[in-house]
């Protein structure tokens, strides 16, 4: 995702990755736009503040005062911006430049900060669409000082929310993947979930884990959700013709195999986890039982009728 839109705020790009060699000076920039076209926000004066950003259980969190145990990851003091306050009119875009001055004695590992833009006067509501103006938006810098870094991560869990789905296809099937970063640099988990009936080489469907490319910062964990839902169309039109959507009539045991990337001492490996569940849709089962019953009764009636005709 190249840009962040937060109501009328547009930041492009939303983040950068930097290699921070000790003693180096790195310059960069990003654009900020005031696009409140449907509101009375005609001009914004923004305070520009570098601030430490980290995660708490996977949620990005800004710290005004950095906790002592996280100081080794804080690089906000290394950042200076060309202007500590900017004024921007509605519909305008500006470029905000920054400089990172890396200390000579910087310790190896991940370093993180956000350049935060805070309106001097926060307008709570716009008159036309009643959208709230967020108090702050920011540009995130994910840095890493080379050296004895530790790239280590773990796959903690892979689960499905139920063992039996009685109301498929009306209900969706939810998968949860939980990972942890045990190293000192950020970790980008990626992978896929393959749904099949026992043969992974012929999957029924596949889902992408962490399609938004969300990172897990050091000493942190994160949970990713995936959902399997039926294709809403009863009939599918393909190059080879029209086909009935079998998702509506799916029944039986399904296996979900997750293949997830993780790191061991800097080497990316692929871990595999599996869960199984049953799709036993009551409406379909009842319809089948009724069909069997009707067929059985019909066969008996026909047999009796046939015997009577012979007499």
């Amino acid at each position: 995702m190249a840009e962040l839109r937060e109501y009328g705020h547009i930041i492009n790009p939303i983040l950068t990755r930097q290699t921070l060699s000790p003693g180096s000076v790195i310059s960069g920039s990003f654009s900020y736009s005031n696009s409140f076209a449907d509101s009375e926000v005609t001009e914004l004066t923004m305070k520009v503040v570098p601030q430490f950003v980290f995660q708490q259980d996977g949620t990005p969190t800004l710290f005004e005062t950095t906790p002592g145990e996280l100081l080794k990851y804080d690089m906000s003091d290394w950042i200076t911006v060309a202007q500590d306050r900017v004024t921007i009119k509605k519909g305008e875009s500006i470029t905000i430049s920054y400089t990172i001055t890396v200390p000579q004695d910087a310790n190896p590992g991940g370093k993180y900060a956000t350049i935060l833009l805070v309106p001097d006067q926060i307008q709570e509501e716009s008159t036309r669409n009643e959208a709230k103006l967020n108090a702050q938006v920011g540009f995130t810098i994910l840095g890493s000082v080379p050296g004895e870094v530790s790239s280590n991560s773990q796959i903690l869990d892979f689960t499905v929310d139920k063992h039996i789905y009685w109301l498929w296809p009306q209900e969706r099937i939810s998968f949860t993947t939980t990972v942890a970063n045990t190293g000192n640099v950020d970790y980008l988990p990626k992978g896929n979930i393959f749904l099949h009936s026992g043969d992974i080489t012929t999957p029924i469907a596949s889902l992408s884990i962490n399609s938004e490319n969300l990172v897990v910062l050091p000493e942190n964990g994160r949970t990713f959700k995936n959902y399997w839902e039926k294709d809403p169309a009863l009939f599918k039109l393909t190059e080879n013709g029209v086909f009935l959507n079998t998702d509506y009539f799916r029944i039986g045991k399904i296996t979900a195999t997750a293949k997830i990337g993780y790191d061991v001492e800097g080497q990316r490996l692929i871990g595999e986890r599996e869960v199984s569940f049953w799709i036993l849709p009551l409406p379909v089962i009842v319809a089948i039982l009724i069909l069997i019953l009707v067929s059985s009764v019909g066969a008996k009636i026909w047999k009796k009728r046939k015997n009577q005709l012979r007499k």
Side-chain angles (χ1 to χ4, degrees):
M1 186 166 61
E3 67 180 28
L4 170 67
R5 292 177 177 266
E6 193 72 41
Y7 300 118
H9 299 289
I10 300 178
I11 287 184
N12 188 19
I14 61 173
L15 59 81
T16 184
R17 288 181 174 273
Q18 299 284 355
T19 299
L20 309 171
S21 300
S24 64
V25 178
I26 301 165
S27 297
S29 65
F30 62 95
S31 70
Y32 168 74
S33 302
N34 175 3
S35 64
F36 285 88
D38 297 327
S39 76
E40 292 183 352
V41 183
T42 59
E43 187 175 275
L44 289 172
T45 299
M46 311 285 288
K47 185 178 180 182
V48 187
V49 186
Q51 196 164 312
F52 176 53
V53 62
F54 208 62
Q55 287 174 329
Q56 292 182 324
D57 298 323
T59 302
T61 304
L62 293 162
F63 291 87
E64 291 186 7
T65 302
T66 304
E69 66 273 15
L70 298 178
L71 282 170
K72 58 187 173 183
Y73 301 117
D74 187 356
M75 63 175 285
S76 58
D77 289 343
W78 304 356
I79 299 172
T80 56
V81 290
Q83 299 166 280
D84 62 0
R85 183 171 265 97
V86 296
T87 299
I88 179 171
K89 295 180 180 180
K90 182 171 66 176
E92 282 188 342
S93 295
I94 58 175
T95 297
I96 298 176
S97 300
Y98 63 89
T99 301
I100 307 171
T101 303
V102 187
Q104 289 283 358
D105 60 351
N107 293 322
K111 312 294 175 185
Y112 310 101
T114 286
I115 299 176
L116 200 62
L117 286 87
V118 185
D120 278 2
Q121 294 181 345
I122 301 170
Q123 182 171 334
E124 294 296 337
E125 292 184 353
S126 63
T127 56
R128 297 192 185 178
N129 58 16
E130 298 185 352
K132 288 191 176 180
L133 170 62
N134 253 16
Q136 53 196 30
V137 290
F139 169 77
T140 299
I141 301 171
L142 304 177
S144 178
V145 176
E148 295 182 5
V149 299
S150 173
S151 297
N152 288 288
S153 50
Q154 298 176 338
I155 305 165
L156 298 182
D157 208 2
F158 174 63
T159 60
V160 65
D161 62 333
K162 295 180 184 178
H163 295 298
I164 301 176
Y165 293 86
W166 297 104
L167 298 177
W168 174 270
Q170 282 71 33
E171 60 181 342
R172 65 182 182 179
I173 297 171
S174 173
F175 301 98
T176 302
T177 306
T178 305
V179 299
N181 184 353
T182 56
N184 65 356
V185 292
D186 52 274
Y187 157 50
L188 178 62
K190 297 291 288 183
N192 293 94
I193 301 170
F194 300 95
L195 298 152
H196 55 93
S197 298
D199 182 5
I200 194 174
T201 62
T202 56
I204 299 166
S206 64
L207 308 169
S208 178
I209 299 172
N210 191 19
S211 59
E212 295 181 337
N213 293 322
L214 302 175
V215 299
V216 184
L217 296 189
E219 302 179 26
N220 221 273
R222 198 157 198 162
T223 295
F224 300 95
K225 290 285 189 179
N226 286 97
Y227 302 99
W228 182 32
E229 301 175 277
K230 74 176 189 314
D231 187 319
L234 180 58
F235 295 96
K236 297 180 181 180
L237 180 62
T238 71
E239 294 179 354
N240 298 320
V242 178
F243 292 89
L244 182 66
N245 183 1
T246 56
D247 279 350
Y248 280 82
F249 311 100
R250 197 168 298 284
I251 188 169
K253 183 180 179 181
I254 304 293
T255 298
T257 301
K259 292 182 178 289
I260 313 160
Y262 69 103
D263 303 305
V264 176
E265 297 300 333
Q267 182 179 1
R268 178 52 62 109
L269 304 176
I270 302 297
E272 185 173 300
R273 302 288 187 275
E274 276 192 355
V275 293
S276 294
F277 55 93
W278 288 82
I279 293 179
L280 300 174
L282 286 175
V284 175
I285 293 173
V286 170
I288 292 173
L289 291 175
I290 291 174
L291 182 62
I292 293 172
L293 180 62
V294 169
S295 299
S296 176
V297 172
K300 289 180 179 178
I301 292 173
W302 171 249
K303 185 177 180 181
K304 184 177 181 180
R305 176 72 173 168
K306 191 176 181 181
N307 290 336
Q308 288 176 343
L309 290 173
R310 286 178 179 174
K311 293 179 180 179

